[in-house]
Amino acid sequence: KRNPLKWLLVPFFLVSQGFNMVLLARRHKVSLIHAHWIIPQGLLAVLGRQLRLLPKRIKILCTSHGGDLFSLQGGLLQTLKRYTLRRSDHTTVVSIAMRDHLLGMGCQTRNVSVQPMGVDLTNRFVPDPGKQAQYDIVYVGRLVEKKGVSTLLDAVKLLTETHPGLTVTLVGDGPEREPLERQVDTLSINQHITFLGAISNDRVPAIYQAARIAVVPSIVAADGDQEGLGLVAVEALGCGCVTVVSDLPALADVVTHGDNGLVFKAGDAVQLTECLAMLLGDPDLHGQLAHNARASVIDKFDWRAVGDRYLDIIDRCIDSPD
């Protein structure tokens, strides 16, 4: 987006991806192609089979992660998405909200399943009872519009009136960092905010383990893009970190208000402030939600469980008649 000249790379990327897809599928006698994202990967797989560049016997499983479904709203792009999904043998989406959106746009697919991606809740995103609380509030994710970090900063300004020692750590980087830093200056909350920048994935669990509260303040971006699921919420809950999320439909698959976290209206800094103040001021509520956090996600989102379910989908897809 910052450099339109980079669009010139796209045709070469598509040709290279298509060429290698065909080469690998033929070399290894592939039975199924699992295309992540409808456009371009799913479209290339479908076109490859339609044009007989791929053997007709190859099945296509197309998985949408959210950005491709909710954004890319132009008329031609919508047509290409419908074309791809109608010709895929099976489609998976990572949340119930995505399935409803897919059906609402007229994508009559042969088979569609809701199957979220998982995270490693066995070895990586696990609680550490011995770790001392180091952060009051943390945000982990890219600094882009749809993540809603601006709402969190507005809430921090309100919250510091009653919690003058509050600390908020923002983990991640992206094109919105400079505007967010200017917002911090404008709100005069510099002493409360730390921009930690991008860190390696190996360090993320320790952040959640040492945090009192994790916030996922996602919104719908101007171009329609929004969360497909919000795995950062799963990661935080897996570490036993109390989590506050916005009420975007996709996040409802992860957090239930008052059960394993708190939910506020997307973009509403006042409601977010109320949720945070409630947790900071009520140790019993905080303890209850922390107790429920990990148990609420382990069976649904752990890698092994997700892998088993995808294996079942792949087997059924391969065995289905043409």
Side-chain angles (χ1 to χ4, degrees):
K1 291 181 179 179
R2 290 194 298 266
N3 185 356
L5 287 175
K6 289 187 177 179
W7 279 104
L8 296 175
L9 297 173
V10 172
F12 299 98
F13 167 72
L14 296 178
V15 170
S16 175
Q17 188 172 80
F19 174 81
N20 283 282
M21 174 187 66
V22 172
L23 182 66
L24 290 169
R26 290 180 177 273
R27 178 184 297 168
H28 298 287
K29 298 181 180 179
V30 167
S31 299
L32 177 141
I33 292 175
H34 188 180
H36 289 259
W37 307 100
I38 305 168
I39 297 175
Q41 286 83 351
L43 178 61
L44 287 174
V46 165
L47 286 174
R49 191 170 63 178
Q50 291 290 110
L51 297 174
R52 304 295 177 88
L53 299 172
L54 294 169
K56 188 177 180 180
R57 63 176 173 78
I58 288 182
K59 300 298 177 67
I60 297 172
L61 168 60
C62 184
T63 292
S64 173
H65 294 270
D68 51 344
L69 186 64
F70 290 126
S71 58
L72 306 177
Q73 293 297 317
L76 175 60
L77 291 170
Q78 291 284 71
T79 299
L80 291 175
K81 284 192 282 188
R82 293 189 186 96
Y83 174 87
T84 300
L85 294 170
R86 287 170 181 166
R87 285 161 179 78
S88 297
D89 296 284
H90 199 101
T91 300
T92 58
V93 291
V94 298
S95 68
I96 293 172
M98 287 182 62
R99 181 194 63 191
D100 294 343
H101 183 88
L102 183 150
L103 297 176
M105 61 183 275
C107 289
Q108 299 301 319
T109 63
R110 280 187 271 179
N111 297 287
V112 59
S113 302
V114 177
Q115 180 50 62
M117 296 291 103
V119 298
D120 185 357
L121 297 173
T122 302
N123 300 303
R124 176 171 289 186
F125 293 97
V126 297
D128 183 354
K131 191 175 288 291
Q132 297 295 317
Q134 183 179 348
Y135 313 103
D136 290 331
I137 298 171
V138 298
Y139 161 86
V140 178
R142 291 182 299 140
L143 301 182
V144 294
E145 181 188 2
K146 73 174 182 179
K147 297 299 185 179
V149 181
S150 177
T151 303
L152 173 58
L153 296 182
D154 287 336
V156 171
K157 175 64 175 178
L158 298 173
L159 199 57
T160 54
E161 296 176 7
T162 53
H163 296 77
L166 185 74
T167 61
V168 180
T169 303
L170 307 180
V171 180
D173 212 339
E176 291 293 304
R177 177 160 179 169
E178 288 187 11
L180 291 170
E181 288 175 335
R182 290 195 296 270
Q183 183 181 357
V184 168
D185 289 337
T186 301
L187 295 174
S188 299
I189 53 173
N190 308 69
Q191 69 272 31
H192 303 283
I193 306 294
T194 299
F195 285 87
L196 204 57
I199 64 174
S200 67
N201 288 336
D202 291 340
R203 293 176 57 196
V204 173
I207 297 290
Y208 289 130
Q209 292 162 354
R212 297 176 67 187
I213 303 168
V215 179
V216 185
S218 304
I219 60 172
V220 179
D223 64 358
D225 193 11
Q226 59 180 287
E227 298 285 3
L229 176 63
L231 281 178
V232 291
V234 177
E235 294 171 352
L237 291 166
C239 292
C241 182
V242 175
T243 305
V244 180
V245 305
S246 71
D247 65 352
L248 290 190
L251 288 163
D253 287 14
V254 181
V255 176
T256 300
H257 185 74
D259 179 23
N260 65 336
L262 296 182
V263 180
F264 70 98
K265 184 177 179 181
D268 191 328
V270 174
Q271 273 198 18
L272 174 54
T273 303
E274 292 170 353
C275 288
L276 295 173
M278 195 183 308
L279 291 172
L280 292 170
D282 189 339
D284 291 338
L285 175 63
H286 187 279
Q288 175 192 337
L289 296 178
H291 175 76
N292 295 343
R294 180 170 172 80
S296 69
V297 295
I298 189 72
D299 291 334
K300 185 175 182 180
F301 295 102
D302 184 59
W303 267 353
R304 183 172 295 277
V306 171
D308 287 343
R309 288 192 287 269
Y310 260 106
L311 179 60
D312 180 62
I313 291 171
I314 289 169
D315 283 342
R316 286 189 283 112
C317 194
I318 290 174
D319 294 338
S320 65
D322 292 332

